[in-house]
Amino acid sequence: MLFQRVKTLLKTKKQLKMRSKDNMNKQVFFKKKKACPFSGEDGMTIDYKDVKMLGRYVSEKGKIIPSRITSVSAKKQRELSRAIKRARYIALLPFVAN
Amino acid sequence: MNKYESVLIARQDLGTSQVSGIVSDLTNVLKKEGGEVVRVDSWGLKTLAYRIKKNRKGHYVLLNIAAPATAIAEFERIMRFNEDIIRYMTIKVDAFSEGKNSSEDKETVEDAE
């Protein structure tokens, strides 16, 4: 009996979470089903020297765009972040852009 | 013997011949310590994204190196003392990447014209 009550409690909590997430995402970021462009066999390689590719994952101000917008997987986002920071160090990308 | 990739930026006041002179000096340093330079890729004079030591442009050179770690330590030490090299970065890599990337863009622009 107790277990069933706990189960139903958890269900409603999950539903609440999902509902609010959906509302948020529907308003702002519609395309959520995109795949990570770097994963898979034919994914792009992350290279700190490739300024054109890196520039797509950097905002107008030069900040790194979060993966919930670009739908990059977590592991690749870490690699991408490392590559962007290397490119910033050797002045291929700015730290702050105007 | 490990594989390294090194990018160095030389001051904009230098000519291309002086830059290649610096690169050959560094190559000799590496050879003495038992390493070898597999590839030298000069990206030429590029505009820097921000000013480094009051320079707005710099000569970029990419080196692919196979050397023991002691040779790299000496290599970096020499670069630190050389005032003409304003920035350098050495990374250990698993495999050398083909293709130039930065100079590729330049080449395509020239072909289009």
Side-chain angles (χ1 to χ4, degrees), chain A residues 55-92:
Chain A
R56 269 185 263 145
Y57 296 94
V58 152
S59 76
E60 272 183 4
K61 272 200 191 164
K63 299 163 83 164
I64 302 176
I65 301 177
S67 60
R68 60 186 161 86
I69 300 179
T70 60
S71 67
V72 179
S73 74
K75 186 175 179 182
K76 291 296 170 182
Q77 176 73 3
R78 289 195 295 274
E79 278 183 41
L80 185 65
S81 165
R82 216 175 298 143
I84 290 173
K85 289 172 185 176
R86 280 182 186 160
R88 282 176 179 168
Y89 179 67
I90 53 172
L92 293 173

Side-chain angles (χ1 to χ4, degrees), chain B residues 72-95:
Chain B
I72 294 296
E74 181 64 25
F75 178 64
E76 293 200 333
R77 200 183 73 97
I78 300 289
M79 287 204 279
R80 213 176 305 144
F81 293 151
N82 192 340
E83 284 176 0
D84 292 331
I85 299 175
I86 52 177
R87 190 154 289 182
Y88 61 91
M89 180 173 79
T90 314
I91 299 175
K92 189 170 170 188
V93 290
D94 297 325

Side-chain angles (χ1 to χ4, degrees), chain B residues 51-105:
Chain B
R51 294 229 260 170
I52 301 178
K53 299 214 170 135
K54 319 264 173 84
N55 294 296
R56 287 183 197 268
K57 296 193 187 187
H59 294 272
Y60 279 80
V61 181
L62 169 72
L63 304 170
N64 280 343
I65 303 167
T70 48
I72 294 296
E74 181 64 25
F75 178 64
E76 293 200 333
R77 200 183 73 97
I78 300 289
M79 287 204 279
R80 213 176 305 144
F81 293 151
N82 192 340
E83 284 176 0
D84 292 331
I85 299 175
I86 52 177
R87 190 154 289 182
Y88 61 91
M89 180 173 79
T90 314
I91 299 175
K92 189 170 170 188
V93 290
D94 297 325
F96 295 129
S97 62
E98 298 292 319
K100 312 113 180 222
N101 291 320
S102 273
S103 55
E104 243 175 31
D105 297 339

Side-chain angles (χ1 to χ4, degrees), chain A:
Chain A
M1 263 286 282
L2 245 175
F3 185 65
Q4 280 178 5
R5 273 175 74 191
V6 169
K7 245 184 141 178
T8 48
L9 245 179
L10 286 172
K11 237 204 228 167
T12 48
K13 254 198 185 169
K14 207 181 170 189
Q15 282 170 356
L16 273 173
K17 254 199 192 169
M18 288 199 47
R19 245 185 276 146
S20 61
K21 242 200 209 169
D22 276 339
N23 280 336
M24 254 182 45
N25 285 342
K26 260 194 205 166
Q27 285 169 17
V28 195
F29 323 124
F30 192 65
K31 298 185 217 166
K32 224 1 180 78
K33 304 273 172 83
K34 262 202 297 190
C36 169
F38 300 109
S39 305
E41 284 178 9
D42 54 345
M44 296 189 279
T45 45
I46 297 174
D47 190 5
Y48 67 94
K49 304 186 288 285
D50 193 354
V51 180
K52 245 182 13 176
M53 184 272 290
L54 290 177
R56 269 185 263 145
Y57 296 94
V58 152
S59 76
E60 272 183 4
K61 272 200 191 164
K63 299 163 83 164
I64 302 176
I65 301 177
S67 60
R68 60 186 161 86
I69 300 179
T70 60
S71 67
V72 179
S73 74
K75 186 175 179 182
K76 291 296 170 182
Q77 176 73 3
R78 289 195 295 274
E79 278 183 41
L80 185 65
S81 165
R82 216 175 298 143
I84 290 173
K85 289 172 185 176
R86 280 182 186 160
R88 282 176 179 168
Y89 179 67
I90 53 172
L92 293 173
L93 284 175
F95 284 96
V96 178
N98 294 317

